Structures are given as C-alpha cells and as structure tokens.
C-alpha cells in the first residue's frame, strides 16, 4: 500500500514536519562531510537554527515549511555545483534578510563579514522579478557587480533558481511563464558561462516544460518510447570500441547519454525536421583516468581508436583540448558514422575535464590552486568589470548587450602575430578591431581575413586570422552600432558618437544664445529647459544639436513671451476634440478575455511576429499606446518580453468564437507531382471550406515547396487542416510558419 506516500507533504503534522526538516539538514551535513573542518559543524548548526527560527511561520506556495527551500538550495550548491561550508551557510541564510527580521548586522555579528557580504549580494539580487524594466536591468547589473566581486554569490543564486524551477508546479501560470522565461533568458546562459552544463541543461528543460508544454511532453514521450531501441544501438556501437580500449590498459568509462529535450527541440526547429529525423539523440562519452601530463595524448589515442572503427565527419571535429572554451570546458568532440549509417557524436575527455564540465567554476578553482595559469574566468570578470564601470552605460541596453557579448557561444580568432582572441559568436571585423584597442576600432576601414580583403561588417569564424586596416580619416557613425555585437565595441562607438554630437551641438548652442539674447531673454538653465520641453527633446544637448543640423529652425520662438528675462511658452491652442473612441466596445467581436479581471471582452491586437489564432496558448502584453498585444507563448519574442517586462504581461485566454478568421501561413513540402496543387487546393477550399488568401509553389530537384496563406478560425481547425494535408499522398511536411518570411 502506498497510501502513506501519497499524502502530500503539507498534510504532515508538526512532529512529522520536524523530522522531515531534520532529515534534510542531516543530508546536507553528510554531503559536506569531506569538507568539514573543526568548528564548521557548529557554525552550520547555528546558521540552520537561525534560518529555521526566522522562517518558522512561513510556508512555500506548495504548503511546505519554508526552511526546506534554503536547505534544498544549500544541498544543490554542495552536491551539484561543488560549493563548500561557507557557501552552505550563506545558502541557508539567503532569504532571511529579505523576508524576515534578521538584519545584515545580525549576520555579520554571528558569522563575520565575508558571509555577511555574500548574503548581502544575494539579498540585492533576490528580487529581480516584479519590478519595472529599468529597475530589473539595474538589478541585473548588480548581479554582475556582485558576481565579479565574489562568484559564490552567483553560484548560490543559480542553486536558488534551480530549486525554484524544480518546484515551479505550485505557482500560478503567469508566475510560471515569467520565472521560466527569465531562467532561459538569463540564468541558463549564466550557468553555461560558469561551465555548469548540467545546471544549464536542467534549467532549459524545466523552462521548456512550462513555456512549451506540448512540445516538451511530445519529445519526452518519444524519448521514452525509443529508449530500448536506443540502448540496443548504443551497446552495439560501444562494443568494438570497448574491446580495443581494454587492450591498451587505460582506466576508462564509456557510455551513451541522451541529449536534453530542449536541445533536441532546438535542433528540430533550427533544421526544420521531425523528431525522427534528429540523428544525434544521444552522445557517446568516453571518460579517461590519466595523469595530467598524459591527458592530451590519451584523448587523441582514443580518437584514433574510434575513428579506426568508424569513419569521422571531418567538419565535425572540435578540439577543445588545445583551445579550451573560456568557461573552462575541455574535450574532444567528433561525429562518426556508426552502425546502420547513423551519425553519432562522441565526446572524449579525462576525469578532470569531466569534473570541470559538470561543476564548472568550483572545479576550476580546485584544479587551479597551485598553478599560476591566468584564469579564463578572471579574464572574463575583468572584461565585465570594464563594461560595468562605464557610467554612461544605459542599463536596459546593457542587459541585451551583455547577453550577446558575454553569454553567447564563442569563437576564437588570431591576430597576425598568432595571438588568440576569444569573441562571441557573430562578432565582426569591427568587433575584433575594438577588442584590440578603441583607437584601432574607431579608425577601422576594413580588414584582411585570411589574407583576403573584407568590409568591416564581415562576420568572423573560428580559426580566422584577422588583420585590421585603419585610416586616420575614418570615424564611427551611427550605423556602426548595428555592425557589432560586443559590449566593448558598442560602448566605445556610443562614446565617440556622443563626442561628435557634442562638437556639432556647440554651434547650435551659440545660435540659440544669440537668438535668445536678441529677444531679451536670458540664456540660462531655466529658459533652455523650457525650450527642451517645448520641442519634446530629451536634453539640452539634443536641443543644441537639432538646432545645429537645422532640424529645428526656432521660428516658433516669436510666439514666446518674455517676462523679465524669462521665456513663456505660447498657450497651447485648444486641441480639436478627439473623436470619441467607443471605449469598452471592441472594434471587432473580441474573443479574448483576461483572467482574474472581469470576463469582459477587451481591445487587443494580434502580434505580427507570431500571428496567434484562437486556441493557441497565448499571453497579453500591455503596450504603450496600443493596448494589449497578444503573443503566442512560444513566440520567438516571448522569452524576451516575459523576462524583461514581466509586469506588463497579462494572462489571457480565448473565448469561443467562430465568426472571425485569422490569416495563417503554412509551409508545405512534398514530392513534385502532377496534380499536387489541385489536391491541396481541393482539400483546403473544396472539402474544408477554408478560404485561401495566397499560394505560391516552387519546384526544385523533384520537390515542391508551397506557401499557403489561409483564413483559419482557431487552432482546432488548423490542426485538422495540417493533419489532413499530411495525409495527402506525396506530402512530406506541413508546418505553420511563425514569422513573416
Ligand atoms: Mn530563495
């Protein structure tokens, strides 16, 4: 009988709850055991008791006692990230200053300044949610400042976030969407950047579970269904390799590992293929145990054994032994043709490399001790600090810039002398120029990549050798901002533009001064502010600049009055009464209702980027001026909107309505055959009575590619149409397209 186990935790009585909490605490102690030094146990006990007491009246959304959360966060930190005693103390206390009567001073008094500083960092970044955008970006900046201050803050924060993601089920749907979006947008990439592959993967999978539940369940189901078949194949693949490895007397492990649901999904989307067509659903991993001096040699030896058995694909060899990623990742990856002509990815690494791959930063430190290798993390922190210290940095842009320049995958390129530079993916020759020096960037007119002349916008690829060509006459222009991805280049270009603008503005300032004095008004802050507001500009600098480039001709100045030496703006002409918009009565028969508010119908527009139709999983986004815009939750922009502007998101759902139809695009691929168009149109407009808005067909190499735009009432109808189209003879795939292209 498992009735006892089925009782939810919040039904436990006080005694049982106490036992559960103590059990969790002891489990934490057990994990920490190898790291405990004299006195540590007492400190931990003290932190635990202090936190338990402070949170004693609080419960989580699930009904559990709150203290189970800090305990779980501490355990994740120790067991999955490799953190130690002091970090565990911080994890236990991480929510106390924010949510209870305990103050930072209390913590400093009890545990010293190091722990107090980390808890302070965690408190500052604890509430990234539920604030307005600029504050959120500001918060994110804070995260990064504390990160570069003491990386343990971010590692504990990642444990905290992972536990929140694991327990997201008990939250409301809109909270789930918000937290999940934020996780894929910021924390997943951050975990990746810290080298925590497992944490990153789990965060992505859990986010997908909430953001795209259907696709998630579908792939999970198919993975489970194909499990036996897959392990049979993996065994078949491994057998001959294992035999050979045993002969050369290496201590090793070899196993197959399924790829994450999220990465399979990404591949399906990126390549436009079905689950069945994703060839590498798993990777084979070989982990070697060797001494540090033999690592590289041993990995290549294994590579040689594998490629003797199976033919490798030459484009898919990745050597991160000679050039580790800047998050510390080292390994050798190759893709080989396995049995039955299937491509299989093989990853070869040593035990040490594997630990770094799984525990990232923490493991990196462990191995770094005693060496004087300049840490890649230190370099990275240094770069972040450089950007953060720029006071002109707009924090909202900063969030986006930060993502593209610090969290993206990287490429490595070479200077003419052979020095390696790491740059984020999609970096251009111009980014490279700025990475060398801002003066080189500002005067860049082109580059030679692998000895070939290219424009400054040229996108670089790993392994390129780049030489920058400069001219003293060159200067940055506005459109350069679109040519770079690194934060450094962006901020340097902005600085230069501002400087340039200031020079131009100086002339406008002079013009204005003369004009105002001619009118008898003083040229002072007060009067300039009045004009700035009048012309609806951001700053006096903008005003001077607009005057200088003659975008403003100051004709309106004659309508101003001068009282004393003060300017008085002309009285606004009474505005023409705006035509009364029949507020509340929607333009078209609406089929949306907002949750939680009233069930009244509301005004909205459908987002152009994802073209939702009734039945789609959607959310509403409050836009300035346009009211509510409806997006699909799997819209390509959704993550960004949800994580950046969470407070402007409204939960919405469709009401039933059959009167209105929505323009939806379908991409159909099939075998080019006489009559295929007829079959398609016959099904759509003949049998299903669905109106076609446009249709184009292109034939190439015996295949046809059709684009059909149809008027659809709801998702049900669309699904039905897609199903029936797929069943037509010769049709290979039918996909709805997300965007206008
Ligand atoms: Mn927490």
């Amino acid at each position: 009988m498992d009735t006892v186990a089925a009782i939810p935790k919040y039904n436990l009585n006080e005694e049982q709850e106490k036992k559960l909490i103590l059990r969790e605490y002891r489990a934490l102690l057990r994990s920490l055991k190898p790291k405990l030094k004299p006195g540590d146990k007492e400190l931990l006990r003290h932190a635990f008791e202090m936190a338990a007491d402070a949170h004693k009246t609080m419960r989580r959304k699930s009904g559990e006692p709150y203290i189970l959360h800090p305990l779980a966060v501490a355990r994740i930190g120790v067991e999955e990230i490799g953190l130690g005693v002091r970090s565990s103390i911080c994890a236990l206390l991480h929510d106390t200053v924010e949510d209870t009567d305990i103050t930072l001073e209390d913590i400093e008094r009890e545990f010293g300044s190091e722990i107090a500083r980390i808890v302070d960092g965690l408190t500052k970044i604890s509430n990234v949610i539920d604030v307005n955008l600029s504050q959120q970006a500001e918060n994110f900046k804070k995260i990064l400042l504390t990160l570069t201050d003491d990386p343990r803050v971010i590692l504990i924060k990642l444990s905290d976030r992972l536990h929140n993601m694991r327990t997201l089920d008990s939250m409301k749907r809109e909270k789930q969407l918000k937290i999940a979006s934020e996780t894929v947008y910021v924390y997943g990439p951050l975990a990746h950047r810290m080298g925590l592959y497992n944490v990153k993967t789990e965060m992505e999978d859990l986010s997908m579970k909430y953001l795209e539940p259907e696709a998630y369940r579908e792939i999970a189901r198919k993975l489970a269904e194909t499990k036996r078949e897959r392990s049979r194949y993996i065994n078949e693949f491994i057998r001959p390799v294992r035999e050979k490895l045993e002969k050369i007397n290496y201590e090793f492990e070899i196993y197959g590992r399924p790829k994450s649901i999220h990465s399979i999904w990404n591949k399906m989307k990126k390549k436009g293929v079905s689950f069945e067509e994703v060839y590498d659903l798993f990777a084979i991993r070989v982990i070697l145990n060797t001494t540090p001096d033999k690592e590289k040699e041993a990995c290549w030896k294994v590579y040689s054994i594998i490629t003797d058995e199976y033919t490798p694909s030459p484009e898919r060899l990745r050597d991160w032994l000679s050039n580790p990623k800047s998050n510390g990742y080292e390994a050798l990856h190759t893709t080989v043709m396995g049995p039955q002509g299937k491509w299989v990815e093989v990853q070869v690494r040593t035990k040490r490399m594997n630990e770094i791959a799984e525990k990232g930063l923490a493991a990196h430190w462990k191995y770094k001790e005693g060496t004087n290798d300049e840490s890649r993390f230190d370099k990275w922190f240094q770069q972040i600090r450089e950007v953060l210290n720029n006071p002109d940095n707009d924090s909202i842009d900063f969030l986006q810039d930060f993502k593209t320049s610090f969290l993206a995958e990287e490429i490595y390129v070479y200077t003419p002398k052979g020095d390696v530079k790491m740059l984020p993916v999609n970096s251009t020759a111009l980014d490279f120029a700025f990475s060398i020096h801002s003066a080189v960037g500002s005067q860049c007119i082109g580059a030679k990549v692998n000895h070939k002349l290219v424009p400054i916008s040229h996108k670089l690829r790993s392994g390129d050798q780049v030489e920058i060509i400069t001219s003293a006459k060159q200067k940055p222009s506005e459109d350069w901002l679109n040519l770079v991805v690194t934060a450094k280049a962006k901020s340097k270009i902005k600085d230069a533009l501002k400087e340039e603008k200031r020079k131009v503005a100086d002339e406008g300032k002079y013009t204005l001064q003369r004009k105002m004095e001619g009118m008898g008004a003083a040229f002072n802050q007060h009067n300039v502010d009045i004009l700035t507001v009048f012309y609806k500009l951001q700053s006096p600098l903008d005003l001077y600049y607009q005057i200088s480039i003659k975008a403003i001709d100051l004709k309106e100045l004659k309508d101003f009055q001068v009282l004393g030496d003060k300017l008085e703006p002309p009285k606004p002409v009474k505005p023409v009464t705006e035509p009364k918009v029949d507020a509340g009565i929607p333009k078209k028969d609406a089929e949306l209702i907002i949750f939680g508010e009233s069930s009244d119908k509301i005004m909205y527009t459908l987002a152009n980027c994802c073209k939702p139709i009734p039945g789609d999983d959607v959310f509403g986004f409050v836009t300035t001026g346009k009211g509510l815009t409806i997006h699909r939750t799997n819209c390509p922009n959704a993550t960004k909107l949800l994580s950046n502007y969470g407070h402007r998101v409204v939960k919405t759902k469709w009401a039933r309505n059959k009167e209105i139809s929505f323009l939806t695009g379908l991409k159909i691929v099939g075998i080019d055959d006489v009559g295929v168009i007829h079959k398609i149109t016959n099904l759509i407009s003949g049998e299903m009575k669905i109106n076609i808005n446009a249709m184009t067909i292109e034939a190439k190499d015996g295949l046809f590619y059709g684009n059909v735009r149809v008027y659809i009432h709801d998702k049900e109808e669309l699904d039905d149409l897609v199903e029936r189209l797929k069943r037509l003879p010769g049709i290979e795939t039918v996909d709805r397209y997300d965007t206008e292209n």
Side-chain angles (χ1 to χ4, degrees), residues 128 131-144 181-182 184-187 189-190 387-388 393-408 485-487 490 494 639-646:
V128 186
V131 282
N132 60 47
L133 171 63
S134 60
Q135 206 176 330
Q136 180 167 323
E138 206 45 58
N139 265 325
F140 190 66
K141 247 179 150 169
K142 267 187 218 146
I143 297 183
L144 293 164
S181 298
E182 220 180 48
V184 267
Y185 191 68
V186 178
Y187 292 96
L190 212 46
V387 174
L388 286 169
N393 229 313
D394 181 321
S395 49
I396 297 169
D397 285 353
F398 173 77
L399 187 59
Q400 191 53 43
D401 288 356
F402 181 81
K403 260 184 78 74
T404 45
S405 57
F406 292 117
L407 297 182
V485 296
T486 53
K490 275 206 174 135
K494 280 184 194 156
T639 335
K640 203 178 143 193
L641 293 176
L642 288 165
S643 54
N644 273 335
Y645 308 90

Side-chain angles (χ1 to χ4, degrees), residues 88-127:
S88 300
I89 292 173
C90 299
L92 288 172
L93 297 167
H94 83 271
D95 278 331
T96 54
V97 175
E98 177 84 10
D99 299 335
T100 75
D101 294 336
I102 291 179
T103 64
L104 215 54
E105 288 72 43
D106 296 335
I107 290 179
E108 175 152 12
R109 189 183 61 238
E110 302 296 318
F111 300 98
S113 61
E114 183 190 0
I115 282 170
R117 212 177 50 239
I118 296 175
V119 174
D120 186 32
L122 286 162
T123 307
K124 279 188 193 134
I125 61 179
S126 73
N127 241 329

Side-chain angles (χ1 to χ4, degrees), residues 25 28 43-45 47-49 51-52 55 67 70-74 87-96 156:
Y25 174 63
L28 170 67
L43 273 180
L44 275 162
R45 178 95 209 171
F48 166 60
E49 276 167 359
H55 289 300
I67 186 66
L71 275 167
V73 173
S87 303
S88 300
I89 292 173
C90 299
L92 288 172
L93 297 167
H94 83 271
D95 278 331
T96 54
I156 298 166

Side-chain angles (χ1 to χ4, degrees), residues 537-690:
L537 294 168
Q538 298 287 329
S539 66
L541 181 68
D542 285 332
L543 177 70
Y544 304 149
Y545 182 79
Q546 298 291 334
I547 294 169
S548 181
I549 63 167
K550 306 215 163 26
I552 292 178
D553 61 11
L554 295 174
K555 244 190 249 149
E556 290 91 341
L557 264 187
K558 68 173 172 8
D559 299 330
F560 278 70
Q561 286 187 353
V562 183
L563 298 173
D565 61 358
K566 280 186 179 162
L567 277 178
E568 274 285 295
K571 292 271 173 308
V573 187
K574 205 172 169 228
V576 188
T577 33
E578 282 182 37
K580 210 81 179 128
V581 184
D582 29 9
I585 304 164
K587 266 205 303 270
K588 37 186 174 180
D589 211 355
E591 48 294 302
L592 270 171
I593 50 178
I594 302 189
F595 262 29
E597 318 246 318
S598 70
S599 54
D600 285 346
K601 292 176 174 177
I602 40 126
M603 296 271 276
Y604 66 91
T605 42
L606 296 168
N608 245 325
C609 42
C610 54
K611 304 211 181 312
I613 60 169
D616 280 338
D617 201 358
V618 290
F619 64 92
F621 184 72
V622 184
T623 51
T624 29
K626 270 203 297 187
L628 207 58
T629 309
I630 306 301
H631 291 264
R632 282 156 67 184
T633 45
N634 56 3
C635 166
N637 294 324
T639 335
K640 203 178 143 193
L641 293 176
L642 288 165
S643 54
N644 273 335
Y645 308 90
H647 60 290
R648 283 161 61 185
V649 170
V650 203
K651 189 172 180 182
T652 43
K653 75 160 198 177
W654 303 96
R656 294 224 157 257
N657 187 302
K658 281 280 176 194
E659 260 92 88
I660 310 144
S661 50
F662 297 80
L663 201 54
T664 307
L666 289 176
K667 234 178 221 143
I668 306 172
V669 180
I671 296 159
D672 191 17
D673 188 17
V674 199
V676 71
I677 302 180
H678 178 70
K679 272 184 249 161
I680 294 172
T681 49
N682 193 40
L683 172 70
I684 301 178
S685 48
E687 284 177 40
M688 297 192 65
K689 307 264 177 290
I690 293 172

